[in-house]
Amino acid sequence: MSFAAAQQAADAGRAIADAATSDDYRFRWQTSEAAERFAGISLADLDGSRVHGVTAGWIASS
């Protein structure tokens, strides 16, 4: 259930194809707005606490 809102493979594939065929160079290509937001959190998170807060609910506890 944690990944019910996950990005669809076709959407990711479209973004990858766009990156592969683009004349523009970018160091990073994100495959969705959600991926872009998460990358922003990750890059600004010096100790990992923000990423942990966002991702902790993705894994079900056993």
Side-chain angles (χ1 to χ4, degrees), residues 2-3 34-35 37-42 45 48-59:
S2 297
F3 293 97
R37 286 190 304 273
F38 184 75
I41 291 170
S42 298
D45 187 10
S49 60
R50 290 181 65 199
V51 170
H52 177 65
V54 170
T55 61
W58 295 0
I59 309 295

Side-chain angles (χ1 to χ4, degrees), residues 6-57:
Q7 181 177 12
Q8 297 297 310
D11 294 335
R14 191 170 14 267
I16 292 166
D18 289 346
T21 59
S22 176
D23 290 332
D24 296 329
Y25 171 80
R26 287 192 253 167
F27 183 73
R28 294 182 186 273
W29 289 79
Q30 302 305 327
T31 58
S32 69
E33 288 182 24
E36 189 174 311
R37 286 190 304 273
F38 184 75
I41 291 170
S42 298
L43 292 171
D45 187 10
L46 299 179
D47 68 358
S49 60
R50 290 181 65 199
V51 170
H52 177 65
V54 170
T55 61

